[in-house]
Amino acid sequence: MSVSLFSVAAAHILNLVVSFGTRVPVFRGLPGQDDRNRGPENSWKMPICAAFLGLLIGGLSPATAQERPKDVPENLQPAAIQELVDRLDPDQLDALSQLMQLITEGTQSTAMTPPPVESLPFLDKLDAFFDQFIAMLAGYFSSIPDLVQAAIGSIGALVQGQLAGPFIPFLGLALALTALGFAAELVFNRFTRKRRDAVRTNKPESLFQTVKMVSTRFALDAGGLFAFAVVVLIGGRVAGTATPAASLAMQAIFLMVVMPRLIGAILRFALAPHRPELRLVRANNWTATFIYKNLIVLFAVVGAALFFNKLIVLSGYDLDETFRFFVGLAVNTWILLIIWKARKGLTEIILGDEEQPSTGLERMAYFWPYFSMAFVAFNWLLVRASVVSGQGVLTGEQSLGVITLVLFAPFLDTMVRGIVSHVIPPMQGVGPVAEAAYLQTRHSYIRIARVALLTALILSIARIYGVDLLSFGAESSSTVGQNAVGFLLILAAGYLAWELVSLWVNHQLAKDSPPAASNSEDAEMGGAGKSRIATILPLLKVTLQVTIIVLTTLLALAQIGVNITPLLAGAGVLGLAVGFGAQTLVRDVVSGVFFLMDDAFRLGEYIDAGGIQGTIEKISIRSIQLRGANGPIHIVPYGEIPKLTNMSRDWVIMKLRFTVPFDTDVEKVRKLFKKIGQDMMAMDEFKDDIIAPFKGQGVADVDEVGIVVRGKFTTKPGKQFGVRKEVYRRVQHAFEENGIQFARREVRVQLPPALQDLPEDQKQQIATAAAGAADPPKTPTPAA
């Protein structure tokens, strides 16, 4: 580019600037500053200076450093410029030379300025950032003497009356406002003395009363602080808030008195350091007292530091950022020490009153203190990084707010669990299934509440950091942001659907009331099974959860740009392949569906599945698992069951046979059976298990031994064995008392008259031989 265009443009620009020199202080003393006072004889010098400046700037340009223009105007020729310069007076030449020196230095500094960080590669950016960070730290520590001098100077300025007027009136005003505030708080406390005494003396008998008492105490503390603050504000307005003394005094009172006491009221609500019976969290006395005292002192120090920083700024020292750096470093170090010393207590707070905490809760409780310490360090580094980058993403006050949220997270979690424990509906059923379902329901409520709490914390922290996550996926944001937010929302919706399914299933199972399992040593197979919902709902839960996982995965992949059409097509082809190649599997699944629809069996029932008998221990989508009478496990596919016999449904009839001699009074036996049945129905041990009492059914058969009489009773499934044992015992005892014997097989040997005179031992031998011939012993069957 030739000098004509560059220099002429600069000349015209300078001509315009000089023509308005009276409005721009930096051009004072230049030609044309006030042409009205100088007269018309000096007005011609403005275009000359403009032309000279344009030529000089053109000479400084890179183009003119290499070649000279060929078409330079006549008024910009060296001779013409020299002639014009000779006509300027010394003051004008001196002002013009100073201006040209400033322009030259600016041009050189622009040429020496490195390229912006944004244009560098990532590693170079990182290296440049660390260099700036180290330089910043070095600058802070090298400024310690200046900071000490500024601290002494700001205190001296306050005492000397340079910041808030005379020191004695300022101090008197601050003390007077503080005294008025405490007086107002004292009056408020006198009006609420009865409530305070009630909170101080009464002891809660339930969690509800505890929450009510600590809430009342917090309201009273907050009310006293509110009265304190209102009176201070009124007193400051009367004294004149526009005056530096009143404004500075009120800032000191709110930072160093009100803020620490408000934090103390909040900590008393959560920790109750001096009243363990009012403590809403599970923490020992040392942990509660340690956290309470340290945080109050910490916020008092923070308030004093903020006020002291105000004094440094008002004193005119440019060390505000240095002071904030050292205060932030001290506060974050203090917080790390608090967390480290109270780490076991924080773990105990998170575990709460869980008698059997889950593995996830135990891990979270153990790692939370260390995570908090890492987050505090990260937050401090983020504040420093924002200062280095010059973006101001996070200030010290915002950092303290974020740290406060993280520190109070365990207390919030514990209070959420306490609230949830009162929201959960009570268990309506009985038995192990209902108890397990109720426990899972409680865990589902807690997990949902924790997700809500965590979401609120993340949104709050992001808002403090200056990121609005709720509008991050709006149309004005980037496509990546929209996809990321959509992806997270789909995952959150899938998780919520998962929890709702578990919650509904467990809520239904909590209503389960199956027959109580028999703990008798005489119990055998064939007990009552579980309810139908306890059999069907677990399978339904698994099916729904698998469906939720599949749908959530597909929708999430589609949100981030993955083409799921091939996946759907592949799933369809795989389904067809399974349908044609695994017909037996399909038959088993379909048969199982119809068995379950017909309510053919339930968990815990004793069935005969095509000749295989056992108690159902497990039901899957393809087969059932049976426990045999002697302990073996039988896996029976549904498609292999030609017919199914359920021996544990509703009730069981047990029929018993007794053989008595031919001369027994059958009516007497019937009455004895009836009496036994009535007595057993009156026993607490059997009255709930017997549906129909034991009674006689008359003569059932007559054989070569005697008369066969029969009795029967009806019980709940699985209870028949204990009842049968008691019936046998009572029948034997009743027969003995009434002279009734059980019939036995007899062999009568009649000796002829010729053998009547034989000795008794010989007669016995002959009788034994005859009995053996009449009823020979059975030959044992050899083992297979």
Side-chain angles (χ1 to χ4, degrees):
M1 179 179 180
S2 63
V3 71
S4 59
L5 179 61
F6 186 82
S7 58
V8 171
H12 284 292
I13 293 173
L14 184 61
N15 195 7
L16 292 173
V17 172
V18 174
S19 66
F20 292 97
T22 57
R23 300 181 183 181
V24 184
V26 74
F27 289 109
R28 290 175 183 173
L30 292 179
Q33 178 184 2
D34 194 355
D35 291 330
R36 292 173 298 179
N37 298 330
R38 293 177 180 270
E41 67 273 12
N42 294 328
S43 61
W44 60 273
K45 298 178 182 179
M46 290 188 298
I48 295 176
C49 294
F52 178 76
L53 180 62
L55 179 61
L56 184 58
I57 295 176
L60 293 173
S61 65
T64 57
Q66 298 178 2
E67 59 178 358
R68 278 295 182 186
K70 298 179 180 179
D71 52 349
V72 180
E74 293 182 1
N75 59 345
L76 293 181
Q77 295 293 334
I81 293 177
Q82 183 63 38
E83 182 181 358
L84 294 175
V85 171
D86 292 339
R87 297 179 182 179
L88 298 177
D89 56 32
D91 294 336
Q92 293 171 342
L93 286 175
D94 182 62
L96 184 59
S97 63
Q98 292 179 5
L99 177 62
M100 298 308 300
Q101 183 179 359
L102 291 174
I103 295 175
T104 304
E105 292 176 355
T107 305
Q108 292 176 354
S109 63
T110 302
M112 296 175 61
T113 301
V117 177
E118 290 76 7
S119 62
L120 297 176
F122 174 74
L123 293 179
D124 294 338
K125 289 181 182 179
L126 192 62
D127 184 63
F129 173 79
F130 278 111
D131 290 341
Q132 295 176 7
F133 188 79
I134 298 300
M136 180 196 67
L137 294 180
Y140 286 149
F141 283 96
S142 64
S143 302
I144 291 179
D146 298 334
L147 185 61
V148 174
Q149 182 179 0
I152 298 174
S154 61
I155 295 176
L158 179 65
V159 174
Q160 293 173 7
Q162 300 175 3
L163 303 181
F167 179 71
I168 298 301
F170 164 75
L171 183 61
L173 177 61
L175 294 177
L177 291 177
T178 304
L180 287 175
F182 279 115
E185 186 176 358
L186 180 62
V187 172
F188 177 83
N189 292 340
R190 285 186 176 275
F191 276 108
T192 59
R193 177 184 299 175
K194 293 183 178 180
R195 289 185 175 273
R196 288 185 178 274
D197 292 341
V199 173
R200 187 179 300 109
T201 57
N202 294 340
K203 291 186 178 181
E205 298 179 356
S206 63
L207 180 61
F208 176 77
Q209 292 183 0
T210 303
V211 173
K212 182 179 179 181
M213 291 180 66
V214 295
S215 300
T216 302
R217 185 174 66 176
F218 176 76
L220 294 174
D221 293 341
L225 281 175
F226 180 76
F228 181 98
V230 169
V231 171
V232 170
L233 288 174
I234 295 175
R237 182 169 293 275
V238 171
T241 54
T243 62
S247 176
L248 199 61
M250 285 194 297
Q251 291 184 39
I253 293 171
F254 277 94
L255 288 175
M256 293 188 291
V257 178
V258 177
M259 184 176 70
R261 296 186 64 200
L262 179 60
I263 296 297
I266 296 174
L267 291 174
R268 287 182 67 195
F269 174 81
L271 291 175
H274 308 299
R275 297 282 302 276
E277 69 275 8
L278 297 180
R279 197 166 296 158
L280 295 178
V281 296
R282 182 184 177 184
N284 54 59
N285 293 332
W286 183 90
T287 300
T289 305
F290 176 79
I291 296 176
Y292 174 76
K293 291 182 178 179
N294 276 270
L295 287 183
I296 289 181
V297 176
L298 174 64
F299 277 91
V301 171
V302 169
L306 293 176
F307 176 73
F308 196 72
N309 183 60
K310 182 70 175 179
L311 296 181
I312 293 177
V313 173
L314 292 177
S315 300
Y317 293 99
D318 191 16
L319 295 171
D320 174 58
E321 189 58 41
T322 303
F323 182 80
R324 285 176 173 270
F325 168 77
F326 286 106
V327 171
L329 181 62
V331 169
N332 282 274
T333 304
W334 195 343
I335 293 174
L336 290 176
L337 290 176
I338 293 175
I339 298 175
W340 173 256
K341 288 188 176 181
R343 61 189 185 278
K344 294 183 179 179
L346 292 175
T347 299
E348 184 179 353
I349 290 173
I350 296 176
L351 288 175
D353 297 328
E354 296 287 341
E355 298 180 356
Q356 297 179 347
S358 61
T359 304
L361 178 60
E362 289 181 342
R363 291 178 180 176
M364 185 187 73
Y366 177 79
F367 287 108
W368 181 261
Y370 304 99
F371 167 77
S372 302
M373 296 173 65
F375 184 84
V376 170
F378 165 77
N379 188 70
W380 181 81
L381 290 175
L382 185 62
V383 174
R384 294 299 100 203
S386 65
V387 173
V388 171
S389 63
Q391 298 178 359
V393 176
L394 191 64
T395 63
E397 291 80 3
Q398 292 172 325
S399 172
L400 188 61
V402 171
I403 293 174
T404 303
L405 288 177
V406 174
L407 289 178
F408 276 92
F411 306 100
L412 296 175
D413 178 76
T414 303
M415 287 188 286
V416 164
R417 291 206 306 268
I419 295 173
V420 166
S421 63
H422 288 78
V423 174
I424 299 176
M427 183 176 65
Q428 301 177 8
V430 295
V433 175
E435 293 176 359
Y438 178 76
L439 184 62
Q440 291 297 323
T441 302
R442 185 172 185 272
H443 289 167
S444 295
Y445 272 94
I446 291 175
R447 284 193 294 266
I448 293 175
R450 277 179 173 164
V451 169
L453 175 62
L454 182 61
T455 302
L457 288 177
I458 292 176
L459 291 176
S460 301
I461 293 174
R463 181 61 63 90
I464 294 176
Y465 283 155
V467 179
D468 190 0
L469 295 179
L470 294 178
S471 61
F472 194 70
E475 295 180 358
S476 59
S477 62
S478 63
T479 304
V480 176
Q482 295 179 16
N483 291 338
V485 172
F487 178 79
L488 295 177
L489 288 177
I490 290 173
L491 292 182
Y495 175 77
L496 182 61
W498 173 288
E499 288 294 347
L500 290 177
V501 167
S502 300
L503 190 63
W504 178 77
V505 171
N506 291 321
H507 180 66
Q508 297 299 322
L509 290 176
K511 303 177 182 178
D512 180 64
S513 297
S518 176
N519 296 323
S520 175
E521 297 180 356
D522 301 316
E524 301 180 20
M525 295 293 182
K530 298 180 180 180
S531 64
R532 189 178 188 186
I533 61 173
T535 302
I536 300 296
L537 287 182
L539 289 176
L540 181 61
K541 177 182 176 181
V542 172
T543 304
L544 292 176
Q545 288 179 342
V546 171
T547 303
I548 291 172
I549 292 175
V550 173
L551 291 179
T552 302
T553 303
L554 291 177
L555 292 176
L557 292 176
Q559 180 64 34
I560 60 177
V562 177
N563 187 8
I564 63 173
T565 303
L567 297 177
L568 295 176
V573 173
L574 180 62
L576 291 175
V578 170
F580 285 107
Q583 297 182 14
T584 302
L585 177 62
V586 174
R587 183 189 64 177
D588 293 338
V589 173
V590 173
S591 299
V593 170
F594 283 105
F595 274 126
L596 294 175
M597 290 178 59
D598 293 338
D599 193 20
F601 48 78
R602 301 173 185 174
L603 285 172
E605 290 185 332
Y606 189 81
I607 65 172
D608 184 342
I612 302 176
Q613 296 182 352
T615 302
I616 301 176
E617 288 193 347
K618 183 178 180 181
I619 296 176
S620 68
I621 195 173
R622 189 192 69 88
S623 63
I624 56 175
Q625 181 175 300
L626 303 180
R627 174 75 66 176
N630 296 324
I633 292 292
H634 305 288
I635 307 297
V636 183
Y638 297 122
E640 301 295 331
I641 303 177
K643 62 178 180 178
L644 189 144
T645 304
N646 193 327
M647 305 178 184
S648 300
R649 184 61 57 87
D650 301 331
W651 40 265
V652 175
I653 297 177
M654 181 70 71
K655 297 181 178 181
L656 307 179
R657 298 166 63 93
F658 303 93
T659 305
V660 295
F662 291 104
D663 55 354
T664 303
D665 186 354
V666 177
E667 181 63 20
K668 185 177 182 179
V669 172
R670 186 188 65 81
K671 292 180 180 179
L672 290 176
F673 284 178
K674 184 177 181 180
K675 180 66 168 57
I676 291 172
Q678 292 174 351
D679 292 343
M680 291 184 64
M681 284 294 293
M683 296 175 61
D684 295 335
E685 183 180 357
F686 300 107
K687 66 179 181 180
D688 295 331
D689 299 333
I690 300 175
I691 299 176
F694 177 67
K695 61 182 179 180
Q697 288 187 296
V699 178
D701 194 9
V702 177
D703 56 19
E704 69 277 8
V705 177
I707 301 173
V708 178
V709 293
R710 189 171 65 180
K712 72 170 184 178
F713 59 87
T714 304
T715 65
K716 297 178 181 179
K719 306 298 181 180
Q720 67 270 27
F721 306 107
V723 175
R724 182 183 63 181
K725 177 182 177 181
E726 183 65 18
V727 167
Y728 278 146
R729 189 184 68 80
R730 288 177 174 270
V731 167
Q732 182 181 9
H733 184 68
F735 280 8
E736 290 178 356
E737 290 182 348
N738 291 274
I740 301 174
Q741 297 182 352
F742 290 100
R744 294 184 294 271
R745 183 180 297 274
E746 296 180 354
V747 177
R748 296 183 180 183
V749 180
Q750 185 176 1
L751 297 177
L755 300 178
Q756 291 295 330
D757 296 333
L758 292 176
E760 290 297 329
D761 57 345
Q762 292 183 3
K763 291 181 180 179
Q764 185 65 35
Q765 292 176 1
I766 294 173
T768 303
D775 189 11
K778 297 180 179 179
T779 303
T781 304

